[in-house]
Amino acid sequence: MRRLSIIISILFCVGCLDPYAPPASSGNLNALVIDGYIDANGTASVLLSRSIPLNGKDAPPFESEAVVTIESSNGDVFSLHEDKDGSYSASGLSVDKSSTYTLHIVTIDEKDYRSDPMKVYSTPPIDSVYWTINGAERLEIRADSHNDDPNGARYYLFNAIETYEYHAEVFCHFKLVNHFPVERLPEEEVFVCYKDERTLNVLASSKGLKDNRITGARVCTIDRKSPKLAVPRYSILVRQIAISDEEYNYQRLLLASTEQQGSLFAQIPGTIPSNMHSTKDPDEYVLGYFRAQEVKELRYFIDTYTHPIREIFIKGYISLVVSRKPLVNI
């Protein structure tokens, strides 16, 4: 009888885990979506689009023919030009890190939007980039940095651009010309290719610590069987940006709502605050964020044919193996 009650209890618990798919919203919010920045190196970029329903099948429409400017607290006004649909940019700007910057957008239907004034936080250099092994199955690229400024930002955003060689599954030495096979010239080779791949944003914080130091920020993870490690050399350009606590909160909620779902214990998505506002309708919902930033970069190489990770993966050593490589900067 006791065994039967245990089986019934297990079946009851399993039944409680049945998936629930809430109905997708079909409402047409059509909110303006902003993703933009002005950089201390004198460049600015803003991408404008519109939101779509949760059950929408088309790509989000871009917001074209808008008037996009960035205004500084010392009176400078920078105009951005539209490079392609919804994408606006400018370069050669004189950016003063002691000023604040406000994004101003006027859409083609004469709606007016402004951001909060944004400060450029000084970003310290990246001290080192290195690798660690996680369970002999995954290689992790990590970064360390520190900030000697006692009043410096305590929140950081990391991302990276991976560059690696990969090969086509089939070697094609010939091409068809008028239905006849012709040998390819060396410049027509299509077997060896190269790819740039941007990693996801990663957040780090030294808030509450005595030293303003980031240790072991995991920038990206590479599976042992990934083609990224099957070629002679792998390269990654790690990027670090010091951000405000408001943007840290925005990025944290954005990650929870878009990239950390699918688990029973995942954080429940909620409203993500934006620093963009409609000047004519305070109740209008606006999505996205505008940032004033300074980016610091450090490139790191792994020569996979001579690097110790090759032996570690082949021999199947476990997660206690941790190695660091010297600082490499170009």
Side-chain angles (χ1 to χ4, degrees):
M1 185 67 182
R2 183 165 177 262
R3 182 179 298 176
L4 178 61
S5 62
I6 293 175
I7 294 174
I8 293 174
S9 298
I10 293 174
L11 291 175
F12 177 76
C13 293
V14 172
C16 292
L17 297 179
D18 286 343
Y20 168 70
S25 170
S26 60
N28 185 21
L29 180 61
N30 195 36
L32 183 65
V33 183
I34 297 103
D35 181 16
Y37 66 84
I38 184 170
D39 195 279
N41 67 6
T43 61
S45 176
V46 175
L47 181 64
L48 301 181
S49 60
R50 290 283 174 177
S51 64
I52 59 174
L54 201 59
N55 59 352
K57 298 181 180 179
D58 298 328
F62 294 112
E63 186 71 19
S64 296
E65 300 183 48
V67 177
V68 180
T69 56
I70 297 175
E71 304 166 4
S72 75
S73 56
N74 61 13
D76 293 328
V77 178
F78 307 129
S79 297
L80 280 66
H81 58 273
E82 188 170 11
D83 303 314
K84 56 183 179 179
D85 289 348
S87 180
Y88 304 80
S89 67
S91 59
L93 309 180
S94 178
V95 177
D96 183 357
K97 291 200 292 185
S98 64
S99 299
T100 59
Y101 293 87
T102 302
L103 176 64
H104 184 202
I105 300 169
V106 180
T107 60
I108 193 172
D109 56 358
E110 298 185 355
K111 290 187 176 182
D112 193 285
Y113 304 89
R114 283 185 179 272
S115 73
D116 298 332
M118 301 305 295
K119 175 184 176 181
V120 181
Y121 287 88
S122 294
T123 300
I126 301 173
D127 293 333
S128 62
V129 176
Y130 54 94
W131 59 270
T132 63
I133 295 294
N134 184 343
E137 289 295 328
R138 292 183 300 275
L139 179 140
E140 298 175 342
I141 303 297
R142 296 180 177 268
D144 293 349
S145 71
H146 75 281
N147 194 341
D148 292 327
D149 182 0
N151 299 317
R154 289 274 182 168
Y155 300 98
Y156 300 90
L157 183 149
F158 289 88
N159 55 46
I161 300 175
E162 299 174 285
T163 302
Y164 58 94
E165 176 185 321
Y166 67 99
H167 300 160
E169 294 184 3
V170 178
F171 180 74
C172 183
H173 191 60
F174 295 87
K175 62 181 180 179
L176 289 178
V177 177
N178 296 326
H179 305 289
F180 289 95
V182 177
E183 188 175 5
R184 293 181 184 273
L185 298 175
E187 59 269 21
E188 296 176 318
E189 178 62 66
V190 293
F191 177 71
V192 177
C193 305
Y194 296 89
K195 184 175 183 180
D196 289 337
E197 187 173 322
R198 188 185 183 281
T199 66
L200 300 176
N201 289 338
V202 174
L203 298 174
S205 170
S206 62
K207 188 72 173 180
L209 301 179
K210 179 180 179 181
D211 297 326
N212 192 351
R213 183 179 298 274
I214 301 298
T215 303
R218 187 172 62 186
V219 179
C220 73
T221 301
I222 307 173
D223 187 83
R224 179 175 65 89
K225 298 179 181 179
S226 171
K228 299 175 185 179
L229 300 178
V231 292
R233 203 175 210 202
Y234 164 89
S235 171
I236 184 168
L237 180 65
V238 178
R239 306 170 73 248
Q240 176 183 240
I241 305 171
I243 60 177
S244 65
D245 53 351
E246 292 85 5
E247 184 177 357
Y248 179 84
N249 185 52
Y250 166 82
Q251 295 286 353
R252 181 179 60 82
L253 292 175
L254 185 64
L255 288 172
S257 297
T258 59
E259 297 170 8
Q260 298 174 0
Q261 298 304 306
S263 165
L264 180 64
F265 305 101
Q267 180 175 330
I268 298 175
T271 301
I272 301 175
S274 172
N275 66 347
M276 296 293 306
H277 316 281
S278 169
T279 62
K280 297 181 179 180
D281 183 4
D283 295 326
E284 182 179 349
Y285 197 60
V286 185
L287 298 169
Y289 208 87
F290 172 70
R291 175 198 309 129
Q293 66 181 29
E294 181 181 36
V295 180
K296 292 297 175 66
E297 300 178 336
L298 186 63
R299 185 174 292 278
Y300 180 69
F301 293 96
I302 295 178
D303 294 309
T304 58
Y305 284 6
T306 59
H307 201 280
I309 62 171
R310 190 172 182 85
E311 295 184 8
I312 292 172
F313 281 152
I314 291 175
K315 295 180 180 179
Y317 291 163
I318 58 176
S319 58
L320 294 179
V321 179
V322 176
S323 176
R324 292 180 178 235
K325 289 289 289 181
L327 179 68
V328 179
N329 194 2
I330 63 172

